[in-house]
Amino acid sequence: MKKTLWSRLIVCYLLAGVMVFLLLNTYGKDLLEKRLTDQKKDLLIDEARLIETEYKDSIYASIDDSQPQYSLKAQLKSISTYLGITVWIVKKDGTIITASNDVAEQKNVNDLDPKFFDKYFSENNYYPGIFTLPMMSYTHTVSYDFELSGYIILHTPMQGIADEAVNYFDIINICFLLFLPLLFILFLYIYYITAIPLKNLTKAAKEYSSGNYNYALVLKGLSEYRDLGAAISYMSGELSKLDDYQKRFVANISHDFRSPLTSIKGFAEAIKDGTIPHEMQDKYLNIILFETERLTKLTSSLLELNRFENKGTFLDITSYDINNIIKKTAESFEGACRDKKITLNLVFSSKETYVDADMGKIQQVLYNLIDNAIKFSHNNSKIKVSTEEKGDKVFVSVRDYGIGIPRDSIKKIWERFYKTDTSRGKDKRGTGLGLSITKEIIQAHNENINVISTEGVGSEFIFSLTKTIE
Ligand code: ADP
């Protein structure tokens, strides 16, 4: 049978039914019989005491005279008829003097069973000729002046206890049979509240895996399932975003690779077939070189981002003077600044500020930020790189007075391949990957980077670093 929730529940239901039935009819039955036997024993004890107190004189007289007392006998017979108990008044030597069943009189109990007086209670006593059925007997001692004078012995048929047990058991089994359909309804309910939501979840999971992220999963019922449903819906939302992101990513990559490759191919073919005259070749070879460099930069940036994502980047943390690194990085932009007549101001909060960070990676961050600041600044403007210390942190700021970033683009600039529309015309070399890498580097250091920018006014990028503890 296929392992389904339904089949398991049916098996559990049958097992539960059979087990309860067996338990009731074995252990339960024994327990009931024992309880009924104990009740019978209590009844015999109470009755013996009652007979002793009620008919004390007649009992002593009967024992003393060794003669049946007829008035006593009449009383014992009515007890026997009423309660189904046979009563014997017995002498010390075991002779039955007065008995509610006549046949027993003048017989000796020791002859019937030599071990009869060994215990107060005995079960399954069968005395042919006296009783037609096995009996349970109770021996009650009768004393006078603290001396044993005789016994009151009471018998009741074992069959009575067994019959009573069967009667009770019939009722219990009828109740059990009535309980079975109720148990089945309970199992049906369990199936309904567990299997139905599971089916809905499975359907939703199939829809999501086939790309239908808009499928609406509505789960009612138990809160655990509702929580699971909400988690799966959330997951589908995230998958949908990832799917979109991947599509955009592939589209961007294809576009960014295709355009330089097209121009490289076009110019190379034109040079080869002579369309471009010999004296012009230098110019076009330079374009080919420029595009090749752009492709190399794109590939290495992608590889670097990938390394960050796989947590494969090992940070080489050392202590160094951040002012020194800012100076060195700024120097490498001297030519670019001269071309655009940009003044690069460096303002440090202290003469030396030592930080614990990966020198090469932080230099790369500074390079990306200053490079962007220059790219997106107008000619004749200025750029300010400054440091500020607060507690154990140093905040490095790169501020420009260029084109700025439109408000709705601010959050997106950290995404891969994102370029604002305003910047596209200004920057043909850009890959849209620089800030993604910058953010990954800062986050790998467990630090933060933020941007404040107003379109048409300028931008300021600020990132934190941890100072070296002296
Ligand atoms: P890119 O290689 O295109 O510069 P980045 O990831 O470094 O890629 O930057 C992403 C985009 O963010 C840029 O294309 C530009 O639109 C915007 N941007 C970044 N820095 C500045 C800045 N200082 N001023 C204005 N826009 C900026």
Side-chain angles (χ1 to χ4, degrees):
M1 190 162 46
K2 206 174 151 195
K3 278 188 192 170
T4 59
L5 185 65
W6 177 242
S7 68
R8 287 294 114 136
L9 279 174
I10 289 291
V11 170
C12 284
Y13 168 70
L14 291 176
L15 271 179
V18 171
M19 269 162 61
V20 174
F21 181 77
L22 286 179
L23 205 73
L24 278 177
N25 284 279
T26 51
Y27 180 68
K29 199 168 183 177
D30 284 354
L31 215 66
L32 183 70
E33 278 179 357
K34 197 175 168 306
R35 180 65 62 86
L36 289 174
T37 309
D38 287 346
Q39 271 180 9
K40 222 25 157 210
K41 283 178 180 173
D42 289 345
L43 180 81
L44 292 182
I45 293 171
D46 289 348
E47 208 47 44
R49 283 193 188 136
L50 207 71
I51 294 171
E52 189 190 5
T53 39
E54 285 284 314
Y55 311 111
K56 206 174 203 145
D57 295 340
S58 313
I59 291 170
Y60 288 134
S62 175
I63 290 172
D64 284 349
D65 302 349
S66 295
Q67 287 296 324
Q69 281 274 327
Y70 290 103
S71 62
L72 175 64
K73 194 168 172 166
Q75 294 296 337
L76 297 183
K77 277 196 170 170
S78 62
I79 291 173
S80 175
T81 326
Y82 187 63
L83 291 175
I85 295 172
T86 307
V87 190
W88 292 349
I89 307 297
V90 181
K91 260 176 76 172
K92 199 158 66 171
D93 65 358
T95 316
I96 303 163
I97 308 295
T98 311
S100 62
N101 59 338
D102 301 327
V103 281
E105 276 176 5
Q106 297 312 316
K107 298 238 165 32
N108 193 301
V109 176
N110 290 313
D111 295 341
L112 298 174
D113 179 1
K115 290 185 178 163
F116 189 87
F117 290 113
D118 288 359
K119 46 191 181 194
Y120 289 114
F121 279 102
S122 48
E123 286 172 29
N124 288 314
N125 298 325
Y126 182 57
Y127 309 132
I130 296 178
F131 296 123
T132 49
L133 290 167
M135 304 298 255
M136 181 170 82
S137 309
Y138 168 60
T139 308
H140 181 80
T141 51
V142 180
S143 314
Y144 188 76
D145 273 351
F146 301 108
E147 242 191 65
L148 176 71
S149 9
Y151 307 95
I152 302 171
I153 298 176
L154 284 80
H155 308 276
T156 185
M158 296 293 296
Q159 188 63 41
I161 300 171
D163 288 350
E164 213 172 329
V166 168
N167 279 345
Y168 278 122
F169 237 80
D170 283 350
I171 295 169
I172 291 172
N173 278 330
I174 287 170
C175 287
F176 173 69
L177 285 178
L178 290 177
F179 165 72
L180 275 183
L182 288 180
L183 190 70
F184 187 71
I185 291 170
L186 183 77
F187 273 83
L188 266 184
Y189 175 67
I190 294 173
Y191 176 72
Y192 177 77
I193 58 170
T194 48
I196 307 290
L198 279 180
K199 273 187 185 157
N200 289 344
L201 282 173
T202 313
K203 183 161 186 330
K206 278 183 186 156
E207 291 287 340
Y208 296 146
S209 60
S210 66
N212 179 12
Y213 298 113
N214 295 326
Y215 179 79
L217 171 65
V218 185
L219 273 190
K220 295 179 191 146
L222 299 178
S223 73
E224 287 87 343
Y225 284 109
R226 275 186 275 131
D227 291 350
L228 183 61
I232 288 183
S233 294
Y234 177 73
M235 191 185 78
S236 87
E238 293 299 299
L239 278 176
S240 160
K241 277 191 217 158
L242 198 70
D243 199 41
D244 279 356
Y245 176 77
Q246 249 168 3
K247 280 182 192 147
R248 263 190 292 127
F249 187 78
V250 172
N252 282 329
I253 282 202
S254 323
H255 174 263
D256 280 32
F257 272 84
R258 206 175 42 210
S259 30
L261 280 174
T262 316
S263 60
I264 290 171
K265 188 171 173 255
F267 292 135
E269 276 170 357
I271 290 169
K272 193 175 172 230
D273 64 21
T275 319
I276 294 173
H278 195 71
E279 58 280 10
M280 297 282 282
Q281 278 181 7
D282 212 33
K283 179 184 164 195
Y284 292 100
L285 280 173
N286 275 336
I287 299 177
I288 290 178
L289 267 180
F290 173 80
E291 297 291 12
T292 324
E293 263 166 34
R294 208 156 83 85
L295 282 177
T296 315
K297 190 179 162 201
L298 195 66
T299 324
S300 50
S301 297
L302 277 172
L303 284 174
E304 182 149 10
L305 267 177
N306 206 33
R307 262 205 307 278
F308 269 110
E309 234 160 49
N310 297 331
K311 304 269 177 270
T313 303
F314 172 74
L315 293 180
D316 182 14
I317 306 282
T318 50
S319 172
Y320 57 88
D321 178 20
I322 185 71
N323 299 354
N324 197 22
I325 296 303
I326 294 172
K327 274 184 234 157
K328 270 194 190 164
T329 319
E331 274 165 21
S332 65
F333 286 101
E334 245 172 45
C337 286
R338 203 180 314 120
D339 290 347
K340 287 183 88 172
K341 299 193 178 58
I342 289 173
T343 326
L344 195 58
N345 280 335
L346 307 184
V347 182
F348 302 125
S349 58
S350 316
K351 216 170 147 219
E352 283 181 332
T353 308
Y354 276 82
V355 292
D356 290 330
D358 184 314
M359 188 154 62
K361 297 265 181 307
I362 296 301
Q363 194 163 10
Q364 194 180 345
V365 167
L366 282 166
Y367 189 92
N368 288 348
L369 296 180
I370 300 173
D371 186 39
N372 279 346
I374 296 172
K375 270 193 306 192
F376 303 115
S377 281
H378 309 293
N379 287 353
N380 298 310
S381 93
K382 53 180 183 170
I383 292 170
K384 182 174 154 194
V385 183
S386 59
T387 60
E388 192 185 334
E389 294 171 48
K390 270 187 201 158
D392 63 342
K393 297 281 177 195
V394 183
F395 294 88
V396 181
S397 147
V398 179
R399 178 150 186 28
D400 67 63
Y401 301 88
I403 61 168
I405 303 164
R407 188 197 273 262
D408 52 347
S409 297
I410 289 219
K411 274 195 180 142
K412 298 182 189 151
I413 55 168
W414 310 103
E415 288 174 15
R416 293 175 186 192
F417 295 109
Y418 187 80
K419 295 179 190 179
T420 63
D421 291 338
T422 37
S423 73
R424 273 179 204 278
K426 297 211 170 278
D427 172 38
K428 299 232 165 23
R429 282 186 304 125
T431 58
L433 292 173
L435 285 181
S436 310
I437 295 174
T438 300
K439 189 156 194 165
E440 293 285 357
I441 292 177
I442 296 297
Q443 280 178 344
H445 281 80
N446 285 326
E447 300 289 351
N448 286 308
I449 179 157
N450 276 311
V451 60
I452 307 163
S453 182
T454 311
E455 197 176 0
V457 177
S459 316
E460 182 178 16
F461 287 83
I462 308 166
F463 67 90
S464 63
L465 288 173
T466 304
K467 281 202 290 187
T468 306
I469 303 166
E470 281 147 20

